[in-house]
Amino acid sequence: MGAIAALAALTLGVTGTTAAQATTHRETAAAASASAAPEFDAAFEFSSPEAWASYLDTPEGKELLREEGLTKQQVVSAAGTDGFAAKGFLDKLKKKALKKAFNALPDSWQKKLTDWAKKGKGYFKEKWNSLPGWVKKALTLGGAISVKTAIEWLIDITL
């Protein structure tokens, strides 16, 4: 039994320990890795008014403004008001921008995200961190919308 315990300890990278200590180490490491995994990357968790203004300076943002017949100043000033109508107006614009960003992704990514959406919001959230940074940035419009909002809207857009 001593050889098995030593092999287990060596396999786990905890040489010089007993089998009981190796088991404890393995359980502790597993619990730590499970609890340490963040739900989302912190950089993409919250939306930012500054990020929205920056997005409007991009070619995609300028195209959106042209299509809507708006100026950046009109949209940014609407973002500064707390009214329900302004929020609905901005959400409509942001959702349209997200749809454009989604459609700009390669077909393989669109298919993958659509498959995730079909499996539900919880599954999509679990898979979010597996996306490359450039996809996350595109889908959050550079931080202009939160991850939660992006996921909810993507499910609406793709289904």
Side-chain angles (χ1 to χ4, degrees), residues 97-136:
L98 176 61
K99 188 171 186 174
K100 288 175 141 301
F102 175 78
N103 289 331
L105 292 175
D107 290 340
S108 61
W109 283 106
Q110 289 181 31
K111 182 182 179 333
K112 181 182 285 197
L113 294 170
T114 301
D115 290 344
W116 291 358
K118 288 178 183 175
K119 293 181 181 179
K121 188 173 164 182
Y123 184 82
F124 205 119
K125 280 182 174 181
E126 287 177 21
K127 292 295 193 174
W128 178 263
N129 281 337
S130 68
L131 292 172
W134 67 270
V135 175
K136 292 178 192 176

Side-chain angles (χ1 to χ4, degrees), residues 27 77 91 108 118 130 141 150:
E27 291 169 356
S77 66
D91 284 352
S108 61
K118 288 178 183 175
S130 68
L141 308 177

